[in-house]
Amino acid sequence: MKQSSLWMGLLLLWLSSMAPSQVAAQKNDRNQPTLPGRDGHKYVPYEQRKGNESVVYFTRNLSAEGLIKAYEQVKGNIMGKVGVKLHTGEPQGPNILPRQWVKSLMEKELADANIVETNTYYKGDRYTTEQHRKTLDVNGWNFCSVDIMDAEDTVTIPVKGGKWFTKMSVGSHMLRYNSLVMLTHFKGHTQGGFGGSNKNIGIGCADGRMGKAWIHTTPGQPNQWDIREEEFMERMTESTKATIDYFGKHVAYVNVMRNMSVSCDCEDIHAAPVVTPNVGILSSTDVLAIDQACVDIIYALTAGEHHDLVERIETRHGLRQLSYMKELGMGNDKYVLIDLDNGGKRITAADAAKGLKPFVSDNQK
Protein backbone atom coordinates (compact mmCIF):
# COMPACT_ATOMS: atom_id res chain seq x y z
CA MET A 1 0.00 0.00 0.00
CA LYS A 2 2.82 2.38 0.91
CA GLN A 3 4.63 1.54 -2.31
CA SER A 4 1.47 2.19 -4.36
CA SER A 5 0.98 5.54 -2.64
CA LEU A 6 4.60 6.46 -3.32
CA TRP A 7 4.24 5.72 -7.03
CA MET A 8 1.00 7.71 -7.18
CA GLY A 9 2.68 10.65 -5.50
CA LEU A 10 5.60 10.54 -7.93
CA LEU A 11 3.17 10.41 -10.87
CA LEU A 12 1.25 13.43 -9.62
CA LEU A 13 4.50 15.33 -9.06
CA TRP A 14 5.64 14.52 -12.61
CA LEU A 15 2.35 15.67 -14.10
CA SER A 16 2.35 18.89 -12.11
CA SER A 17 5.86 19.71 -13.37
CA MET A 18 4.80 19.46 -17.02
CA ALA A 19 3.80 22.48 -19.06
CA PRO A 20 0.09 22.56 -19.98
CA SER A 21 0.88 21.78 -23.61
CA GLN A 22 2.77 18.67 -22.61
CA VAL A 23 -0.17 17.43 -20.55
CA ALA A 24 -2.58 18.17 -23.39
CA ALA A 25 -0.47 16.30 -25.91
CA GLN A 26 0.40 13.31 -23.73
CA LYS A 27 -1.72 10.68 -25.45
CA ASN A 28 0.60 7.74 -26.02
CA ASP A 29 2.88 5.84 -23.70
CA ARG A 30 6.60 6.39 -23.95
CA ASN A 31 7.10 3.35 -26.17
CA GLN A 32 4.67 4.71 -28.77
CA PRO A 33 5.71 8.28 -29.65
CA THR A 34 3.30 10.48 -31.55
CA LEU A 35 4.51 10.92 -35.12
CA PRO A 36 3.24 13.36 -37.74
CA GLY A 37 2.03 12.26 -41.15
CA ARG A 38 4.01 12.73 -44.32
CA ASP A 39 3.84 14.16 -47.85
CA GLY A 40 2.54 17.59 -46.89
CA HIS A 41 4.49 18.95 -49.86
CA LYS A 42 2.74 16.75 -52.44
CA TYR A 43 -0.34 18.00 -54.24
CA VAL A 44 -3.01 15.37 -54.96
CA PRO A 45 -4.91 16.06 -58.24
CA TYR A 46 -8.70 15.97 -58.10
CA GLU A 47 -9.05 12.79 -60.14
CA GLN A 48 -6.91 10.86 -57.64
CA ARG A 49 -9.18 11.66 -54.67
CA LYS A 50 -11.87 9.36 -53.35
CA GLY A 51 -15.10 9.88 -51.46
CA ASN A 52 -18.18 12.05 -51.56
CA GLU A 53 -18.55 15.58 -52.91
CA SER A 54 -19.58 18.68 -50.99
CA VAL A 55 -20.96 21.87 -52.52
CA VAL A 56 -18.76 24.96 -52.89
CA TYR A 57 -20.11 28.20 -54.37
CA PHE A 58 -17.99 30.60 -56.41
CA THR A 59 -18.30 34.17 -57.67
CA ARG A 60 -15.76 36.36 -59.43
CA ASN A 61 -17.51 39.44 -57.99
CA LEU A 62 -14.97 40.83 -55.54
CA SER A 63 -17.16 43.38 -53.82
CA ALA A 64 -19.57 43.75 -50.92
CA GLU A 65 -22.32 42.44 -53.21
CA GLY A 66 -20.25 39.37 -54.08
CA LEU A 67 -19.51 38.69 -50.41
CA ILE A 68 -23.19 38.92 -49.53
CA LYS A 69 -24.18 36.66 -52.41
CA ALA A 70 -21.62 34.03 -51.40
CA TYR A 71 -22.75 34.11 -47.77
CA GLU A 72 -26.44 33.85 -48.69
CA GLN A 73 -25.80 30.41 -50.19
CA VAL A 74 -24.55 28.94 -46.90
CA LYS A 75 -26.45 30.77 -44.16
CA GLY A 76 -29.19 28.19 -43.63
CA ASN A 77 -27.97 26.90 -40.26
CA ILE A 78 -26.74 30.19 -38.83
CA MET A 79 -28.95 31.03 -35.87
CA GLY A 80 -28.98 32.46 -32.35
CA LYS A 81 -26.03 34.50 -31.16
CA VAL A 82 -23.55 34.71 -34.05
CA GLY A 83 -19.80 35.30 -34.01
CA VAL A 84 -18.16 36.49 -37.22
CA LYS A 85 -14.53 35.35 -37.19
CA LEU A 86 -12.08 37.16 -39.44
CA HIS A 87 -8.45 38.23 -39.29
CA THR A 88 -8.69 41.91 -38.34
CA GLY A 89 -4.97 42.37 -39.04
CA GLU A 90 -2.00 44.26 -37.69
CA PRO A 91 -1.97 48.09 -37.93
CA GLN A 92 -2.43 49.34 -41.52
CA GLY A 93 -2.26 45.82 -42.93
CA PRO A 94 -2.60 46.30 -46.69
CA ASN A 95 -4.31 43.01 -47.57
CA ILE A 96 -6.99 42.42 -44.93
CA LEU A 97 -10.62 42.13 -45.97
CA PRO A 98 -12.11 45.52 -46.87
CA ARG A 99 -13.98 46.89 -43.88
CA GLN A 100 -16.81 48.25 -46.01
CA TRP A 101 -17.50 44.79 -47.47
CA VAL A 102 -17.78 43.29 -44.00
CA LYS A 103 -19.89 46.20 -42.76
CA SER A 104 -22.31 45.81 -45.67
CA LEU A 105 -22.63 42.07 -45.07
CA MET A 106 -23.26 42.47 -41.37
CA GLU A 107 -25.77 45.28 -41.82
CA LYS A 108 -27.77 43.20 -44.32
CA GLU A 109 -27.43 39.67 -42.95
CA LEU A 110 -25.86 39.71 -39.48
CA ALA A 111 -27.08 42.87 -37.77
CA ASP A 112 -26.96 41.38 -34.26
CA ALA A 113 -23.66 39.54 -34.67
CA ASN A 114 -20.25 40.38 -33.20
CA ILE A 115 -16.88 40.16 -34.87
CA VAL A 116 -14.85 37.75 -32.74
CA GLU A 117 -11.08 37.62 -32.34
CA THR A 118 -8.36 36.44 -29.93
CA ASN A 119 -5.12 38.01 -28.78
CA THR A 120 -1.83 37.00 -30.39
CA TYR A 121 0.81 34.62 -29.09
CA TYR A 122 3.62 36.87 -30.34
CA LYS A 123 4.30 40.22 -28.71
CA GLY A 124 3.08 43.09 -30.84
CA ASP A 125 0.11 45.35 -31.41
CA ARG A 126 -2.51 42.68 -30.64
CA TYR A 127 -0.74 40.90 -27.77
CA THR A 128 -2.84 42.36 -24.97
CA THR A 129 -6.51 43.22 -25.10
CA GLU A 130 -5.71 46.92 -24.68
CA GLN A 131 -3.23 46.85 -27.56
CA HIS A 132 -5.62 44.79 -29.64
CA ARG A 133 -8.47 47.28 -29.22
CA LYS A 134 -6.24 50.14 -30.33
CA THR A 135 -5.31 48.18 -33.45
CA LEU A 136 -8.96 47.44 -34.16
CA ASP A 137 -9.62 51.19 -34.17
CA VAL A 138 -6.63 51.90 -36.42
CA ASN A 139 -7.84 49.30 -38.93
CA GLY A 140 -11.43 50.54 -38.94
CA TRP A 141 -13.16 47.68 -37.16
CA ASN A 142 -15.32 50.05 -35.16
CA PHE A 143 -18.66 49.79 -36.96
CA CYS A 144 -19.89 46.94 -34.72
CA SER A 145 -19.02 45.21 -31.46
CA VAL A 146 -15.76 43.24 -31.52
CA ASP A 147 -15.51 40.51 -28.89
CA ILE A 148 -11.93 39.54 -28.00
CA MET A 149 -12.83 36.07 -26.82
CA ASP A 150 -9.85 35.56 -24.50
CA ALA A 151 -9.99 39.04 -22.95
CA GLU A 152 -11.11 37.64 -19.60
CA ASP A 153 -10.39 33.92 -19.42
CA THR A 154 -9.98 30.66 -21.28
CA VAL A 155 -11.84 27.34 -21.42
CA THR A 156 -10.95 23.98 -22.90
CA ILE A 157 -13.12 22.10 -25.35
CA PRO A 158 -12.57 18.47 -26.39
CA VAL A 159 -10.59 17.35 -29.41
CA LYS A 160 -12.30 14.18 -30.61
CA GLY A 161 -10.07 11.65 -32.34
CA GLY A 162 -6.90 13.75 -32.31
CA LYS A 163 -3.43 12.35 -31.85
CA TRP A 164 -1.75 15.46 -30.42
CA PHE A 165 -4.48 16.80 -28.16
CA THR A 166 -7.39 15.65 -26.07
CA LYS A 167 -8.54 19.26 -25.61
CA MET A 168 -7.90 22.75 -26.94
CA SER A 169 -7.76 26.02 -25.04
CA VAL A 170 -9.94 28.79 -26.49
CA GLY A 171 -11.24 32.15 -25.36
CA SER A 172 -13.97 31.73 -22.76
CA HIS A 173 -16.33 34.04 -24.67
CA MET A 174 -16.64 31.44 -27.44
CA LEU A 175 -19.22 29.68 -25.32
CA ARG A 176 -21.51 32.72 -25.63
CA TYR A 177 -22.18 31.94 -29.30
CA ASN A 178 -24.54 29.54 -31.05
CA SER A 179 -23.16 29.94 -34.56
CA LEU A 180 -19.93 30.91 -36.27
CA VAL A 181 -19.47 32.63 -39.63
CA MET A 182 -15.94 32.37 -40.97
CA LEU A 183 -14.88 35.27 -43.20
CA THR A 184 -11.42 34.26 -44.31
CA HIS A 185 -8.87 36.11 -46.38
CA PHE A 186 -7.25 33.24 -48.29
CA LYS A 187 -3.51 33.88 -48.72
CA GLY A 188 -0.10 32.42 -47.99
CA HIS A 189 1.21 31.87 -44.47
CA THR A 190 4.72 31.88 -43.04
CA GLN A 191 4.37 28.52 -41.28
CA GLY A 192 1.10 27.07 -42.55
CA GLY A 193 1.96 27.48 -46.23
CA PHE A 194 -1.51 28.87 -46.80
CA GLY A 195 -4.10 30.43 -44.56
CA GLY A 196 -7.69 29.40 -45.27
CA SER A 197 -10.67 28.65 -43.06
CA ASN A 198 -8.72 25.93 -41.24
CA LYS A 199 -6.05 28.39 -40.16
CA ASN A 200 -8.58 31.13 -39.36
CA ILE A 201 -10.25 28.79 -36.87
CA GLY A 202 -7.38 26.64 -35.65
CA ILE A 203 -5.04 29.51 -34.81
CA GLY A 204 -7.60 32.32 -34.71
CA CYS A 205 -9.89 30.78 -32.09
CA ALA A 206 -7.16 29.30 -29.87
CA ASP A 207 -6.43 31.73 -27.06
CA GLY A 208 -3.28 33.82 -27.12
CA ARG A 209 -1.42 32.33 -24.18
CA MET A 210 -2.26 28.62 -23.93
CA GLY A 211 -3.97 27.33 -27.08
CA LYS A 212 -1.61 28.99 -29.52
CA ALA A 213 1.37 27.87 -27.44
CA TRP A 214 0.19 24.27 -27.54
CA ILE A 215 0.08 24.46 -31.34
CA HIS A 216 3.34 26.34 -31.95
CA THR A 217 5.88 25.49 -29.26
CA THR A 218 7.56 22.46 -27.71
CA PRO A 219 7.94 23.32 -24.01
CA GLY A 220 11.38 23.77 -22.50
CA GLN A 221 13.24 25.17 -25.50
CA PRO A 222 13.79 28.76 -26.63
CA ASN A 223 12.22 28.74 -30.12
CA GLN A 224 8.65 29.97 -29.92
CA TRP A 225 7.93 28.64 -33.42
CA ASP A 226 9.76 25.30 -33.38
CA ILE A 227 6.79 23.10 -34.33
CA ARG A 228 6.70 23.05 -38.11
CA GLU A 229 5.63 21.25 -41.25
CA GLU A 230 3.32 18.25 -40.86
CA GLU A 231 3.19 18.33 -37.08
CA PHE A 232 2.20 22.00 -37.08
CA MET A 233 -0.52 21.38 -39.68
CA GLU A 234 -1.92 18.53 -37.63
CA ARG A 235 -1.94 20.46 -34.36
CA MET A 236 -3.62 23.44 -36.01
CA THR A 237 -6.20 21.16 -37.64
CA GLU A 238 -7.02 19.42 -34.36
CA SER A 239 -7.64 22.86 -32.87
CA THR A 240 -10.03 23.60 -35.73
CA LYS A 241 -11.82 20.31 -35.17
CA ALA A 242 -12.44 21.17 -31.52
CA THR A 243 -14.18 24.41 -32.51
CA ILE A 244 -16.29 23.07 -35.37
CA ASP A 245 -17.32 20.06 -33.31
CA TYR A 246 -18.47 22.51 -30.64
CA PHE A 247 -20.66 24.45 -33.12
CA GLY A 248 -21.78 21.41 -35.10
CA LYS A 249 -23.73 22.30 -38.24
CA HIS A 250 -23.96 25.96 -37.22
CA VAL A 251 -20.84 27.09 -39.09
CA ALA A 252 -20.59 28.76 -42.50
CA TYR A 253 -17.35 29.36 -44.40
CA VAL A 254 -16.53 32.17 -46.85
CA ASN A 255 -13.02 32.43 -48.37
CA VAL A 256 -11.98 35.59 -50.22
CA MET A 257 -9.20 35.03 -52.79
CA ARG A 258 -7.99 38.61 -53.06
CA ASN A 259 -4.64 40.34 -52.34
CA MET A 260 -3.01 36.93 -51.88
CA SER A 261 0.47 37.66 -50.61
CA VAL A 262 2.57 34.72 -49.46
CA SER A 263 2.53 36.49 -46.09
CA CYS A 264 -0.18 36.28 -43.44
CA ASP A 265 -2.13 39.36 -42.40
CA CYS A 266 -0.20 39.25 -39.12
CA GLU A 267 2.81 40.65 -41.03
CA ASP A 268 1.21 44.10 -41.43
CA ILE A 269 2.93 46.56 -43.80
CA HIS A 270 5.93 44.22 -44.07
CA ALA A 271 3.95 41.56 -45.95
CA ALA A 272 5.55 40.34 -49.16
CA PRO A 273 4.22 42.03 -52.31
CA VAL A 274 1.21 40.44 -53.98
CA VAL A 275 2.04 38.85 -57.33
CA THR A 276 -0.86 36.37 -57.67
CA PRO A 277 -4.00 37.53 -59.52
CA ASN A 278 -7.22 38.12 -57.61
CA VAL A 279 -9.69 35.28 -58.18
CA GLY A 280 -13.04 35.59 -56.41
CA ILE A 281 -15.07 34.51 -53.38
CA LEU A 282 -16.00 30.97 -52.36
CA SER A 283 -18.47 29.71 -49.75
CA SER A 284 -19.41 26.33 -48.31
CA THR A 285 -20.59 24.53 -45.20
CA ASP A 286 -17.59 22.15 -45.49
CA VAL A 287 -14.27 23.45 -44.15
CA LEU A 288 -12.16 20.95 -46.06
CA ALA A 289 -13.99 21.41 -49.35
CA ILE A 290 -13.66 25.20 -49.35
CA ASP A 291 -9.94 25.22 -48.49
CA GLN A 292 -9.30 22.41 -50.99
CA ALA A 293 -11.15 24.30 -53.73
CA CYS A 294 -9.05 27.41 -53.08
CA VAL A 295 -5.84 25.39 -53.23
CA ASP A 296 -7.02 23.68 -56.43
CA ILE A 297 -7.66 27.08 -58.03
CA ILE A 298 -4.16 28.22 -57.05
CA TYR A 299 -2.65 25.12 -58.67
CA ALA A 300 -4.80 25.68 -61.78
CA LEU A 301 -3.29 29.14 -62.36
CA THR A 302 -0.44 29.48 -64.84
CA ALA A 303 3.07 28.76 -63.60
CA GLY A 304 3.90 32.43 -63.59
CA GLU A 305 0.76 33.34 -61.69
CA HIS A 306 1.02 30.74 -58.93
CA HIS A 307 4.77 30.25 -58.55
CA ASP A 308 5.22 32.13 -55.28
CA LEU A 309 2.14 30.76 -53.53
CA VAL A 310 2.78 27.15 -54.59
CA GLU A 311 6.37 27.45 -53.43
CA ARG A 312 5.20 28.79 -50.06
CA ILE A 313 2.61 26.01 -49.66
CA GLU A 314 4.96 23.18 -50.60
CA THR A 315 8.07 24.34 -48.73
CA ARG A 316 6.01 24.56 -45.52
CA HIS A 317 4.31 21.19 -46.21
CA GLY A 318 1.01 23.03 -45.96
CA LEU A 319 -0.97 20.47 -47.95
CA ARG A 320 -0.99 18.32 -44.82
CA GLN A 321 -3.77 20.60 -43.61
CA LEU A 322 -6.02 19.10 -46.27
CA SER A 323 -5.10 15.44 -45.93
CA TYR A 324 -5.35 15.56 -42.14
CA MET A 325 -8.77 17.23 -42.24
CA LYS A 326 -9.88 14.31 -44.40
CA GLU A 327 -8.36 11.75 -42.03
CA LEU A 328 -10.19 13.34 -39.11
CA GLY A 329 -13.51 13.21 -40.98
CA MET A 330 -13.89 16.98 -41.10
CA GLY A 331 -15.20 17.13 -44.67
CA ASN A 332 -14.66 16.10 -48.27
CA ASP A 333 -11.77 16.96 -50.57
CA LYS A 334 -14.06 16.48 -53.59
CA TYR A 335 -16.72 19.06 -54.33
CA VAL A 336 -19.23 20.44 -56.80
CA LEU A 337 -18.11 23.97 -57.68
CA ILE A 338 -21.16 26.14 -58.46
CA ASP A 339 -20.69 29.27 -60.58
CA LEU A 340 -22.96 31.94 -59.09
CA ASP A 341 -22.20 34.28 -62.00
CA ASN A 342 -23.59 31.89 -64.61
CA GLY A 343 -26.85 30.51 -63.32
CA GLY A 344 -25.44 27.93 -60.96
CA LYS A 345 -23.48 26.07 -63.63
CA ARG A 346 -21.03 23.45 -62.40
CA ILE A 347 -17.45 24.41 -63.20
CA THR A 348 -13.95 23.19 -62.37
CA ALA A 349 -11.13 24.87 -60.50
CA ALA A 350 -9.45 25.36 -63.89
CA ASP A 351 -12.54 27.21 -65.14
CA ALA A 352 -12.40 29.51 -62.11
CA ALA A 353 -8.72 30.21 -62.80
CA LYS A 354 -9.14 31.21 -66.46
CA GLY A 355 -8.55 34.67 -67.85
CA LEU A 356 -7.48 36.42 -64.66
CA LYS A 357 -5.98 39.88 -64.80
CA PRO A 358 -2.56 40.61 -63.23
CA PHE A 359 -2.81 41.92 -59.68
CA VAL A 360 -3.13 45.66 -59.27
CA SER A 361 -3.22 47.05 -55.74
CA ASP A 362 -6.07 49.32 -54.70
CA ASN A 363 -3.57 52.18 -54.41
CA GLN A 364 -2.63 51.81 -58.08
CA LYS A 365 -6.18 51.88 -59.43
Side-chain angles (χ1 to χ4, degrees):
M1 188 69 177
K2 290 182 179 179
Q3 186 176 22
S4 176
S5 298
L6 176 62
W7 279 110
M8 182 60 70
L10 289 172
L11 176 60
L12 291 173
L13 180 64
W14 175 67
L15 285 172
S16 67
S17 69
M18 294 176 69
S21 53
Q22 290 174 302
V23 176
Q26 193 72 22
K27 296 196 63 176
N28 300 309
D29 65 43
R30 283 173 287 182
N31 295 321
Q32 294 179 313
T34 303
L35 297 174
R38 302 175 62 182
D39 296 334
H41 60 296
K42 294 182 179 179
Y43 176 70
V44 179
Y46 194 94
E47 59 273 12
Q48 295 180 20
R49 303 171 202 160
K50 298 179 180 179
N52 296 323
E53 292 179 322
S54 294
V55 177
V56 179
Y57 300 93
F58 172 72
T59 177
R60 299 163 189 82
N61 185 0
L62 283 160
S63 68
E65 292 74 23
L67 186 67
I68 291 167
K69 189 172 185 179
Y71 171 70
E72 286 175 338
Q73 313 308 310
V74 295
K75 68 179 185 178
N77 289 320
I78 301 303
M79 43 74 71
K81 185 64 175 174
V82 180
V84 178
K85 176 65 183 75
L86 63 144
H87 197 312
T88 53
E90 292 294 336
Q92 306 296 342
N95 299 320
I96 59 178
L97 294 182
R99 273 70 73 195
Q100 188 57 49
W101 294 13
V102 179
K103 181 181 179 181
S104 296
L105 171 66
M106 295 185 70
E107 287 178 345
K108 184 175 187 300
E109 297 286 346
L110 297 158
D112 296 325
N114 293 336
I115 290 175
V116 296
E117 267 280 26
T118 56
N119 292 319
T120 59
Y121 179 42
Y122 56 85
K123 291 185 177 180
D125 290 309
R126 296 186 299 134
Y127 183 69
T128 68
T129 299
E130 181 181 10
Q131 291 170 319
H132 202 156
R133 293 213 175 277
K134 290 179 181 178
T135 299
L136 289 166
D137 285 338
V138 168
N139 284 347
W141 302 110
N142 47 20
F143 54 82
C144 72
S145 175
V146 180
D147 185 354
I148 299 175
M149 295 189 290
D150 57 346
E152 296 177 333
D153 204 350
T154 65
V155 295
T156 59
I157 55 177
V159 175
K160 300 173 185 176
K163 66 182 179 182
W164 299 102
F165 302 119
T166 58
K167 60 186 178 181
M168 179 48 56
S169 182
V170 299
S172 62
H173 292 187
M174 180 189 285
L175 275 56
R176 297 177 176 179
Y177 296 92
N178 306 110
S179 300
L180 196 63
V181 174
M182 303 305 302
L183 297 185
T184 299
H185 172 214
F186 187 90
K187 68 282 183 189
H189 190 266
T190 302
Q191 281 197 262
F194 69 91
S197 285
N198 185 44
K199 183 267 173 188
N200 192 10
I201 302 174
I203 302 298
C205 290
D207 74 271
R209 299 297 172 270
M210 292 176 60
K212 289 182 175 69
W214 294 357
I215 297 166
H216 280 290
T217 309
T218 304
Q221 50 74 53
N223 183 359
Q224 185 177 15
W225 314 106
D226 76 302
I227 296 175
R228 299 174 181 271
E229 298 184 346
E230 281 86 356
E231 181 177 341
F232 174 72
M233 310 308 160
E234 292 174 4
R235 287 173 177 262
M236 174 170 60
T237 300
E238 289 187 16
S239 175
T240 297
K241 188 174 190 298
T243 292
I244 65 175
D245 282 350
Y246 173 78
F247 285 102
K249 65 181 181 179
H250 305 293
V251 189
Y253 307 93
V254 181
N255 284 6
V256 179
M257 299 184 73
R258 167 191 178 274
N259 287 36
M260 293 181 288
S261 169
V262 299
S263 301
C264 178
D265 294 333
C266 55
E267 295 181 57
D268 59 61
I269 59 174
H270 303 292
V274 177
V275 296
T276 305
N278 289 338
V279 175
I281 303 173
L282 294 86
S283 61
S284 184
T285 56
D286 183 323
V287 63
L288 170 54
I290 192 169
D291 277 2
Q292 181 72 70
C294 289
V295 169
D296 288 343
I297 292 171
I298 293 300
Y299 274 82
L301 298 173
T302 68
E305 291 170 333
H306 74 195
H307 174 272
D308 288 23
L309 259 180
V310 167
E311 181 181 59
R312 176 57 56 95
I313 291 168
E314 293 183 352
T315 57
R316 271 54 170 185
H317 295 219
L319 297 167
R320 181 58 178 155
Q321 292 186 52
L322 304 172
S323 60
Y324 197 50
M325 278 194 275
K326 187 168 185 178
E327 288 175 24
L328 290 175
M330 294 168 62
N332 298 312
D333 59 357
K334 298 181 70 177
Y335 50 87
V336 178
L337 189 60
I338 302 297
D339 189 343
L340 297 176
D341 305 329
N342 291 287
K345 175 184 176 183
R346 180 172 182 171
I347 60 172
T348 66
D351 294 327
K354 286 179 181 175
L356 301 179
K357 297 177 182 179
F359 174 78
V360 177
S361 72
D362 291 339
N363 293 333
Q364 294 174 289
K365 291 178 181 178

